[in-house]
Amino acid sequence: MSAVLLLLVFACRRDPPAEGNGDDRDPPALVPMPVSLVVGDGELVLDDTTRLAGADAVAAAIAEQLAASLRPATGLPLEVDVGDADITLTIDPDAGLPAEGYRLDVTADAATLVAADAAGLFWGTQTIRQLLPPEALGDSLADVAWTMPAVAIEDAPRFAWRGAMIDVARHFFGPDEIERQIDLLALHKLNVLHLHLTDDQGWRIEITSWPNLAVIGGATEVGGGDGGYYTQAEWKALVAYAAERHVTIVPEIDFPGHANAALASYGELNPDGVPAEPYTGTAVLSNGLHLELPVTWELVEDVWTEMIAMTPDGFVHVGADEAIDVADADYAAFVAWLQAHVAAEGRTMVGWDEIGDVALEPGFVIQHWWDEDRAVDAVAMGGKLLSSPAEHAYLDMVHDASATYGQVWAGAIDVEQAYAWDPVPAGLDETDVIGLEGALWTEYIDSRERLDFMLWPRLVAHAEVGWTPAADREWTSFHHRLGVHGRRLDALGVGYYRSNDIGWD
Ligand code: TNX
């Protein structure tokens, strides 16, 4: 039966649907909002006979990922072939779509998804998951009609870097929890996970040439818990897990400040030859690396050589924030050396906005958290800005006045505060900005419950800031869609903060 489509351009970004129409999928409450969404007539029904296909092996593998994510809740076979089917996925570099872009056409008869690259195809499948009833995202069999509304969507991200940072140094989170969060990032088309691997309170990555870093430095965390670290095998598996979901893991080794866990692991890194005391408090310490000691530079070089060898992607984060008590000239020489060192290995250096005080070669990323003017000025040296202004992007801040934990130094960040900002500061062009990152520091975050509670739903807001064109973003529309989206997070078992300012379904 071929359906006659009445295509209606649905201006839902500006006109939220009338209250109480009772149909939460009209318009489909997609997050992030696609660039262009046209709602058609009718719906595609998934049943026992529904088959998926990829036009080639890469597309078929992505179709299988989609089918596998839907089988537990739907109980449908959702077989995947190569060729044509009810839901057909195609990678076509000549389809006139930008990087990571996709086109999705759903009618009552079939769905076709076309993308310029594998990432775009994967993001298109995340849209399909959101077009289905929320129960489709759960892991237990649900008794609902598996329908998708007819739509024509054309979509692509605003920024290339749509990230989240998790500090695994203040409190350690093991591979299982990180994989779970990667799945959640991917659902929202967030594509970078920055892991803050080292700090005063803990060292979280195995370095075979300096084993005490993990064995001693990894055995502490804030509050005196056991800490932990990723073995190199676990790290590589995590990087691969993320890559299958088109998420890039960016490792951060934070030097020359925030270095106590390293100083506690090896006496020789200290002028008196005695290991520093382990630290499990929440303050920022002032004892950084001792750059006057030649062995310090050997350590840093060895750490980055191993880190780069076990991490395939282009960006590495050198931290370089809050280097209290490190002389300006020493700091500058160190950061410039780091840039040259990682560049020699084919990598692009990312650092917190303090690196803007250093004369740098073009081709770096400066992550703005504190001093916007410094970050903006640094772009003139040939860098790109990664936007994480604390007052919008710091997810360790309290949500609102009802908070029982969380930091307050950058103010409360409710969902609207996480949504209502633009990563492109005055004075910069869109192309000067590589993207944005929500950052979760974990001085006070020590469990899955707290992780979920602080990350979600504010990261949903960041996802839309990073994806949807600025002119198409609208709080009232997002507010409505997030209320519906809560049912998806419920189906996924996410312990998100049910913020009072959202009308949750
Ligand atoms: C500042 S942001 C820090 C972190 C803290 C955070 C707490 C940055 C680059 N440094 O070390 O955890 O504030 O909100």
Side-chain angles (χ1 to χ4, degrees):
M1 183 190 79
S2 83
V4 178
L5 285 189
L6 288 172
L7 295 181
L8 306 167
V9 176
F10 202 18
C12 51
R13 283 164 228 150
R14 286 168 198 92
D15 302 315
E19 298 251 342
N21 68 6
D23 182 353
D24 58 19
R25 291 188 294 118
D26 184 17
L30 299 173
V31 286
M33 182 57 138
V35 171
S36 136
L37 165 63
V38 179
V39 178
D41 196 27
E43 54 192 21
L44 180 67
V45 180
L46 274 57
D47 61 23
D48 281 346
T49 68
T50 302
R51 302 172 80 83
L52 290 78
D56 60 23
V58 175
I62 294 171
E64 174 54 34
Q65 280 179 289
L66 172 62
S69 83
L70 299 176
R71 284 184 196 120
T74 64
L76 301 175
L78 299 173
E79 278 175 33
V80 178
D81 300 315
V82 175
D84 268 327
D86 306 290
I87 302 175
T88 305
L89 280 64
T90 308
I91 298 172
D92 178 5
D94 302 322
L97 291 160
E100 297 189 76
Y102 67 92
R103 190 180 297 128
L104 174 63
D105 285 290
V106 180
T107 71
D109 295 326
T112 56
L113 176 61
V114 180
D117 50 27
L121 204 64
F122 184 77
W123 304 136
T125 65
Q126 300 312 309
T127 299
I128 290 175
R129 293 175 76 207
Q130 293 193 14
L131 288 171
L132 287 162
E135 293 83 354
L137 301 180
D139 58 9
S140 55
L141 209 55
D143 185 19
V144 288
W146 302 111
T147 62
M148 276 196 276
V151 287
I153 291 173
E154 194 154 325
D155 205 8
R158 180 179 178 198
F159 295 110
W161 184 311
R162 306 175 301 279
M165 187 212 77
I166 299 178
D167 167 8
V168 292
R170 270 56 175 269
H171 282 102
F172 182 61
F173 293 92
D176 290 351
E177 185 55 45
I178 298 300
E179 288 182 2
R180 179 174 167 272
Q181 295 296 341
I182 289 168
D183 288 343
L184 293 172
L185 297 180
L187 173 67
H188 299 89
K189 304 184 175 84
L190 290 162
N191 68 342
V192 176
L193 175 61
H194 161 187
L195 289 174
H196 181 76
L197 289 170
T198 72
D199 214 298
D200 293 318
Q201 297 90 342
W203 184 281
R204 307 298 177 209
I205 183 73
E206 176 188 25
I207 301 294
T208 54
S209 55
W210 295 79
N212 289 356
L213 290 171
V215 173
I216 297 176
T220 49
E221 63 181 13
V222 168
D226 291 341
Y229 64 89
Y230 309 117
T231 66
Q232 295 207 354
E234 285 172 337
W235 177 260
K236 288 178 194 161
L238 206 52
V239 168
Y241 184 93
E244 280 168 20
R245 287 146 186 87
H246 297 274
V247 173
T248 298
I249 294 194
V250 174
E252 178 186 348
I253 304 288
D254 194 1
F255 282 151
H258 292 272
N260 195 72
L263 301 178
S265 302
Y266 286 96
E268 64 203 272
L269 297 175
N270 301 271
D272 58 5
V274 178
E277 284 296 315
Y279 181 66
T280 59
T282 56
V284 175
L285 301 184
S286 59
N287 50 339
L289 286 180
H290 296 281
L291 296 174
E292 73 282 10
L293 300 177
V295 67
T296 296
W297 297 73
E298 284 170 34
L299 167 93
V300 178
E301 181 162 0
D302 290 345
V303 165
W304 274 117
T305 299
E306 289 196 33
M307 202 69 245
I308 285 171
M310 62 176 132
T311 312
D313 288 300
F315 295 98
V316 293
H317 202 304
V318 301
D321 60 311
E322 300 179 308
I324 305 163
D325 287 356
V326 177
D328 291 352
D330 293 346
Y331 176 85
F334 181 72
V335 172
W337 177 86
L338 271 175
Q339 185 186 25
H341 183 68
V342 304
E345 307 261 2
R347 302 309 171 100
T348 299
M349 179 178 80
V350 188
W352 295 105
D353 68 44
E354 286 90 334
I355 66 168
D357 292 336
V358 178
L360 296 169
E361 296 297 323
F364 58 90
V365 173
I366 182 161
Q367 184 164 16
H368 160 51
W369 69 285
W370 177 255
D371 184 341
E372 184 174 278
D373 292 342
R374 176 166 58 193
V376 168
D377 289 348
V379 169
M381 285 192 279
K384 297 266 190 216
L385 183 102
L386 176 60
S387 182
S388 301
E391 64 275 21
H392 296 286
Y394 265 30
L395 299 174
D396 56 327
M397 297 301 134
V398 296
H399 292 272
D400 55 39
S402 73
T404 50
Y405 61 89
Q407 310 241 44
V408 294
W409 66 261
I413 302 182
D414 61 13
V415 183
E416 187 166 7
Q417 179 73 4
Y419 187 77
W421 59 291
D422 190 344
V424 183
L428 291 189
D429 292 331
E430 188 102 355
T431 53
D432 295 326
V433 178
I434 196 165
L436 86 170
E437 221 176 73
L440 182 61
W441 302 98
T442 60
E443 286 93 332
Y444 303 97
I445 316 298
D446 59 357
S447 62
R448 163 178 297 183
E449 288 68 31
R450 288 190 167 200
L451 204 56
D452 275 4
F453 189 83
M454 298 306 262
L455 289 173
W456 308 101
R458 292 183 291 193
L459 271 183
V460 186
H462 290 167
E464 184 150 309
V465 176
W467 183 279
T468 306
D472 292 340
R473 280 206 284 125
E474 210 259 327
W475 167 246
T476 316
S477 161
F478 179 75
H479 178 272
H480 163 75
R481 284 178 286 116
L482 182 59
V484 177
H485 187 66
R487 291 177 55 199
R488 299 187 192 116
L489 297 177
D490 289 337
L492 286 160
V494 180
Y496 61 98
Y497 176 57
R498 289 180 73 86
S499 165
N500 281 333
D501 56 348
I502 303 299
W504 301 104
D505 255 23

